[in-house]
Amino acid sequence: MARITKDNLIFEYKNFFLKEYNSNPEIISAAPGRVNIIGEHTDYNQGLAIPAAIDKWIITLLSRRDDSYINVYSINYKKRKKFNFNQLDTSEELWERYIKATLFVIKSEYNLELGFNFLIGGNIPIGFGMSSSAALEVSIVSSILSLCSLDYDNYKILKICNIVEKEILGINSGMLDQYASIFSVKNKFLLIDFSKIEHQYFKNDIQGSSWILINSMVKRNLIDSEYNNRVDECREGIDLINKKTKYNISLNSISIKDLDYIKKQKNIYNRLFHVINENHRVRQMKNELVKGDLNKIGDLLNQSHHSLSNYFEVSCKEIESIIQFSKNHSAFYGGRIMGGGFGGSTINLIDNNLKNEFIAYVKSEFYNEYNYKIEIEEVCFADGLEFVTI
Ligand code: GLA
């Protein structure tokens, strides 16, 4: 199946915009979704991760209005909404809540009173761990700040998105998704250190294998999932250790030995056990990716999955079956559940020569057990946030 390019999406959406608003957009912003090679549930624990943007985007087309009304047309939901900048209350549908929350934060950060015509669409599957909501926030924030020539840089976009999630939507998420959407560079991996909010790039050109995404089609979103509980458990763990030891350190500086202080709190122990080891795996992964050692990369993915499933407990039965079927095939170097968890997708490293057989095998095994079709596709890496000024 041919992949949709960003240019094609933009071309199609520009026509929609013209039809909807009888004028051209003034700016277009394309924010990609992401995969995460490794480093799961480490971002809100000041840890490390290696994500990369993929060739799926949320695209915002925007123009200013003379009044303070906000018009939004959503291509994906085929719905239009009209509201006033001063009526940014909560509303039922999630996509609308994200948009309103984002506008609310921009308004309060910049004291902005303008009205806008928006057209928003994209091809990132919603709710499957590829960060469609983060891309939505990034594309809205960046398009408005740029169009209105407000004072900002990429870190400011990151900060605004984080305020939207934490303070308005009540998700205690880290910055992994938005960071990847903004800062990625095609054919490079991004190693992010969330304790310092800084990153480094290293080359992404391992040979002989492909990254494959397997979408379990089990939908989840961060607002309604157990995600916030995991964040709380990690905080509780670190607070307990600090209280018992009189340290005042964050999770990225404690060691496995420090976990002895919380041995009796089994769940909390397990959560921190995952985070400490996952950070370690991120460091190892960087070395193996640079060397291109496919077996070792695969092992690290498998270890990460084992930990996410057994210690962090963010997997589900469909994902476990996918991992099991994948392991049965000789093309599989390794794979793991990706993103917030409780459904969504797995990311896998697969031998190029046997890729098609692998895909057919996992699809058919899954169908035999669950009686519905899953989607499997190869990852195509992409650049981070881009603008088109008209
Ligand atoms: C979701 C969140 C991220 C991160 C991952 C887990 O994608 O949005 O901030 O916590 O889960 O690594």
Side-chain angles (χ1 to χ4, degrees):
M1 201 172 68
R3 299 179 85 103
I4 311 172
T5 65
K6 185 170 59 196
D7 289 348
N8 282 349
L9 276 178
I10 290 178
F11 180 77
E12 190 190 323
Y13 294 170
K14 266 167 87 175
N15 288 334
F16 270 111
F17 192 96
L18 190 59
K19 266 197 218 134
E20 182 70 18
Y21 298 115
N22 214 8
S23 65
N24 285 312
E26 292 177 86
I27 194 165
I28 300 171
S29 154
R34 59 109 190 90
V35 290
N36 190 19
I37 303 298
I38 201 158
E40 220 64 90
H41 292 273
T42 49
D43 60 345
Y44 54 82
N45 289 311
Q46 294 87 48
L48 307 168
I50 305 181
I54 54 172
D55 69 337
K56 297 183 187 300
W57 301 267
I58 297 288
I59 299 184
T60 295
L61 298 86
L62 182 69
S63 66
R64 282 167 287 202
R65 292 176 57 86
D66 297 332
D67 54 27
S68 64
Y69 280 101
I70 310 286
N71 285 311
V72 183
Y73 183 75
S74 161
I75 301 263
N76 299 77
Y77 293 97
K78 298 191 176 52
K79 282 189 181 165
R80 50 180 67 75
K81 300 276 170 181
K82 180 171 188 164
F83 47 90
N84 197 283
F85 226 134
N86 300 313
Q87 302 163 347
L88 298 178
D89 51 350
T90 51
S91 45
E92 338 72 65
E93 291 183 74
L94 206 50
W95 68 274
E96 208 185 327
R97 260 156 82 188
Y98 269 95
I99 295 172
K100 288 188 171 183
T102 307
L103 290 168
F104 181 82
V105 175
I106 296 176
K107 184 187 168 187
S108 35
E109 290 277 313
Y110 289 96
N111 205 10
L112 202 66
E113 289 294 341
L114 285 173
F116 296 103
N117 289 333
F118 279 99
L119 187 124
I120 300 176
N123 61 343
I124 308 177
I126 297 169
F128 296 118
M130 292 170 229
S131 297
S132 55
S133 38
L136 174 64
E137 296 158 14
V138 169
S139 76
I140 295 178
V141 174
S142 58
S143 60
I144 297 182
L145 300 193
S146 171
L147 179 61
C148 300
S149 305
L150 298 166
D151 184 25
Y152 79 98
D153 61 11
N154 282 341
Y155 291 96
K156 180 73 179 177
I157 302 176
L158 195 59
K159 190 171 160 216
I160 292 180
C161 296
N162 201 242
I163 297 176
V164 169
E165 298 219 336
K166 282 196 168 134
E167 295 180 19
I168 314 295
L169 297 170
I171 315 162
N172 293 319
S173 53
M175 295 181 175
L176 172 75
D177 311 341
Q178 295 82 357
Y179 211 121
S181 184
I182 297 169
F183 288 95
S184 286
V185 172
K186 193 174 175 180
N187 299 329
K188 296 213 165 131
F189 285 122
L190 188 60
L191 171 57
I192 309 174
D193 180 343
F194 294 98
S195 69
K196 305 193 184 103
I197 321 264
E198 49 177 59
H199 60 274
Q200 50 171 279
Y201 297 103
F202 60 98
K203 69 177 187 321
N204 166 7
D205 68 350
I206 52 176
Q207 304 294 318
S209 63
S210 305
W211 293 99
I212 300 282
L213 274 177
I214 306 183
N215 185 341
S216 68
M217 315 303 281
V218 177
K219 227 177 173 165
R220 62 104 189 105
N221 68 60
L222 296 183
I223 295 187
D224 302 324
S225 79
E226 279 269 306
Y227 183 88
N228 275 352
N229 289 344
R230 293 294 179 275
V231 178
D232 291 345
E233 286 169 331
C234 292
R235 280 196 196 138
E236 202 181 326
I238 189 74
D239 286 351
L240 267 174
I241 293 174
N242 276 331
K243 217 154 131 198
K244 289 195 179 165
T245 56
K246 312 250 181 306
Y247 297 165
N248 188 15
I249 56 175
S250 64
L251 236 179
N252 67 332
S253 356
I254 65 169
S255 66
I256 291 288
K257 194 144 190 358
D258 294 321
L259 296 187
D260 283 350
Y261 295 105
I262 54 167
K263 236 196 321 229
K264 289 194 189 127
Q265 282 90 348
K266 188 101 179 51
N267 279 352
I268 291 178
Y269 178 99
N270 284 346
R271 308 303 184 236
L272 296 200
F273 184 81
H274 163 76
V275 175
I276 294 171
N277 285 307
E278 185 78 349
N279 283 328
H280 187 53
R281 283 188 284 271
V282 174
R283 287 195 195 89
Q284 291 176 295
M285 183 63 98
K286 187 202 159 181
N287 296 337
E288 299 310 335
L289 286 169
V290 170
K291 282 194 249 159
D293 188 326
L294 304 181
N295 288 314
K296 293 215 173 112
I297 296 168
D299 284 348
L300 288 166
L301 294 169
N302 290 339
Q303 286 169 31
S304 173
H305 181 77
H306 181 265
S307 181
L308 287 159
S309 174
N310 295 288
Y311 295 108
F312 217 72
E313 296 185 273
V314 288
S315 190
C316 63
K317 68 176 191 325
E318 293 82 355
I319 292 280
E320 288 309 304
S321 299
I322 286 172
I323 292 287
Q324 199 44 57
F325 299 141
S326 305
K327 279 188 173 163
N328 293 344
H329 200 281
S330 60
F332 182 73
Y333 286 108
R336 60 177 201 83
I337 187 168
M338 188 182 78
F342 311 103
S345 306
T346 64
I347 179 150
N348 310 277
L349 190 68
I350 304 300
D351 183 341
N352 262 348
N353 297 323
L354 297 168
K355 192 165 62 189
N356 294 337
E357 288 92 321
F358 171 83
I359 293 175
Y361 171 78
V362 175
K363 275 187 175 169
S364 112
E365 290 293 292
F366 192 91
Y367 188 80
N368 290 343
E369 185 155 335
Y370 289 93
N371 212 20
Y372 72 85
K373 287 187 181 156
I374 51 174
E375 283 171 9
I376 306 187
E377 64 174 300
E378 187 168 348
V379 172
C380 281
F381 295 103
D383 280 317
L385 175 66
E386 280 182 78
F387 293 109
V388 182
T389 316
I390 315 286

